[in-house]
Amino acid sequence: TLSIPKLRIDNATVLVGGEDLSKSLIHFTGPLPGNYGNPVIFGHSTLPFLYNPKDYKTIFTKLPDLVKGDDIFVTTDNVTYRYKVYDMRVTSPDDLSVLEQYYDSSYLTLVTCVPPGTYLKRLIIKAKLEKM
């Protein structure tokens, strides 16, 4: 599951290799959280006034509100990992560098479409595992 307290996202389901973003977030590539590498998780966004942190069709709408230092929690196998946001950027939909794996530490990448409600660009949130 994935939780972002600042955005009121609480224990959202993340499916490894899932295909339906209307039913869950999707762990597209990379290792399981807590391991060295970069799990990449995709989620939908929509027009901000439709935001509902429990609706997978709108769950990542408020990702642009995150700032460096914000917490993201990922729970897998009853272990919760705390990641801190360290970078945010907007890129084109064909930029595959967001899927790159680095094994010097444990990272997390969240991806959604921006501006919310469009498919024009991708917002990339990069976070790094904090020692707990």
Side-chain angles (χ1 to χ4, degrees):
T1 63
L2 182 135
S3 298
I4 307 175
K6 181 176 183 177
L7 306 182
R8 299 186 341 258
I9 298 171
D10 187 36
N11 292 315
T13 299
V14 180
L15 290 181
V16 176
E19 296 181 5
D20 190 347
L21 283 170
S22 69
K23 296 182 179 171
S24 71
L25 297 170
I26 294 178
H27 178 158
F28 181 74
T29 191
L32 289 177
N35 294 297
Y36 283 96
N38 179 36
V40 179
I41 297 174
F42 287 83
H44 269 309
S45 63
T46 191
L47 299 173
F49 70 89
L50 297 173
Y51 177 62
N52 176 349
K54 297 186 184 318
D55 182 346
Y56 290 102
K57 292 181 240 164
T58 72
I59 194 163
F60 274 1
T61 298
K62 297 280 189 171
L63 277 188
D65 292 350
L66 293 177
V67 297
K68 290 179 183 177
D70 282 342
D71 289 324
I72 300 169
F73 296 92
V74 180
T75 302
T76 183
D77 293 329
N78 294 318
V79 177
T80 299
Y81 301 96
R82 184 177 83 188
Y83 291 82
K84 288 261 187 209
V85 173
Y86 72 88
D87 190 36
M88 303 171 62
R89 66 185 172 97
V90 174
T91 191
S92 65
D94 60 354
D95 180 0
L96 299 180
S97 70
V98 302
L99 306 176
E100 289 178 352
Q101 296 299 310
Y102 301 98
Y103 297 101
D104 61 322
S105 192
S106 298
Y107 299 97
L108 177 68
T109 299
L110 305 181
V111 180
T112 198
C113 296
V114 289
T118 73
Y119 297 102
L120 298 175
K121 299 281 186 179
R122 300 295 178 269
L123 174 65
I124 311 303
I125 304 289
K126 303 286 285 179
K128 188 172 180 181
L129 183 66
E130 289 286 302
K131 301 277 188 248
M132 296 191 73

